[in-house]
Amino acid sequence: QVQLVESGGGLVQAGGSLRLSCAASPRTFSSTMAWFRQAPGKEREFVAAIAWNGGSTDYANSVKGRFTISKGNTKNSVYLQMNSLKPEDTAVYYCAARGKMVWTDPRGEYDYWGQGTQVTVSS
């Protein structure tokens, strides 16, 4: 069973930065991974995705140019560098992974989910 553990959330002022981390276990796991977020009263939305080898990425228009997704050297971890944060970025951020190394429709279905980490951006 694959487990995902996120970290790095917190409270930051608008214009600030945060870096989220997600580690998958077992350490040999490698697949397409993504970040989603859910704000209070809203549906969960796609933020960014990265292919198993880091060769392809995809971003929601709302974060393009501000957020960067990357994979760790061991390929079982994924990071989300968030710069120029806005109050509308406030949400619980979830790490997600697929059970297969499939890049098709990176904003679509994922098999494994983390517990989420809160990001709050104050104005």
Side-chain angles (χ1 to χ4, degrees):
Q1 181 72 10
V2 174
Q3 292 187 328
L4 304 175
V5 178
E6 303 105 331
S7 61
L11 173 64
V12 64
Q13 289 188 332
S17 299
L18 281 175
R19 186 182 190 230
L20 304 183
S21 301
C22 174
S25 60
R27 292 192 66 190
T28 53
F29 178 82
S30 181
S31 181
T32 297
M33 299 181 75
W35 289 95
F36 288 76
R37 67 186 182 187
Q38 188 167 18
K42 295 187 177 181
E43 292 188 352
R44 186 175 62 196
E45 65 174 356
F46 169 81
V47 176
I50 188 166
W52 71 276
N53 61 355
S56 298
T57 58
D58 187 26
Y59 294 93
N61 287 339
S62 59
V63 306
K64 198 172 293 183
R66 300 188 298 123
F67 292 9
T68 303
I69 190 170
S70 61
K71 277 230 173 178
N73 290 333
T74 57
K75 298 296 187 288
N76 71 316
S77 56
V78 64
Y79 305 98
L80 186 68
Q81 178 66 42
M82 304 185 295
N83 298 329
S84 302
L85 282 161
K86 304 175 182 180
E88 51 263 43
D89 294 318
T90 295
V92 177
Y93 283 70
Y94 295 92
C95 176
R98 288 181 167 169
K100 296 181 180 180
M101 297 179 182
V102 175
W103 178 243
T104 304
D105 187 21
R107 306 184 185 198
E109 297 295 320
Y110 283 78
D111 302 297
Y112 306 105
W113 294 86
Q115 80 286 355
T117 185
Q118 177 70 46
V119 172
T120 303
V121 184
S122 63
S123 57

